[in-house]
Amino acid sequence: SGVSGADWPIHRTASADWSERHFQNRVENTWEHNAGEIADAAAEAFEESGADVLLLTGDVRERRAVHDKLPEQVRAVTYESEHGGRGPESAHNALLERDLAQVLAGFEAERAAAAMDR
């Protein structure tokens, strides 16, 4: 006598695989939540400050996530820099200052061109 099983392949997912996917989903959800919180705070600070432009710094993926969650009118004047750091002694601060100067110069040139068109 014999026992017949299913005649198609059976694959059992290891618990570590499920755990890893679950962890990755939690990380993604946390990133999305944080990006939304940062975008809200940045938009509020932008509006209150009367600034002309917004410059996002940090990790490229995080910048993109925040950028995508900004209100359209703020997103239209938002730029990104790969430079910058959390501490005042960051070696990237000089490069960040350069990026900001370039963004402001470009913004002023666009504003001047729009005024000339009017």
Side-chain angles (χ1 to χ4, degrees), residues 2-117:
V3 176
S4 295
D7 59 0
W8 33 267
I10 299 173
H11 175 70
R12 188 174 187 173
T13 303
S15 62
D17 291 341
W18 177 88
S19 177
E20 185 173 337
R21 281 195 312 271
H22 179 70
F23 177 75
Q24 290 299 331
N25 285 339
R26 301 247 345 212
V27 168
E28 292 290 332
N29 290 341
T30 300
W31 279 3
E32 286 297 311
H33 175 77
N34 289 349
E37 293 284 324
I38 293 167
D40 289 346
E44 185 176 328
F46 177 82
E47 296 294 335
E48 289 176 359
S49 72
D52 292 321
V53 298
L54 176 64
L55 184 64
L56 298 176
T57 66
D59 176 77
V60 65
R61 184 173 179 181
E62 294 168 354
R63 288 191 323 254
R64 287 277 90 207
V66 171
H67 186 273
D68 292 346
K69 293 190 177 299
L70 290 168
E72 178 56 38
Q73 69 274 17
V74 177
R75 199 173 16 195
V77 293
T78 298
Y79 301 85
E80 298 182 34
S81 172
E82 63 187 25
H83 303 109
R86 293 176 188 255
E89 304 302 318
S90 173
H92 291 285
N93 281 348
L95 295 172
L96 177 61
E97 290 291 331
R98 182 203 65 195
D99 289 351
L100 182 56
Q102 289 175 342
V103 164
L104 290 173
F107 178 80
E108 290 300 323
E110 288 175 15
R111 184 188 291 187
M116 294 294 285
D117 289 343

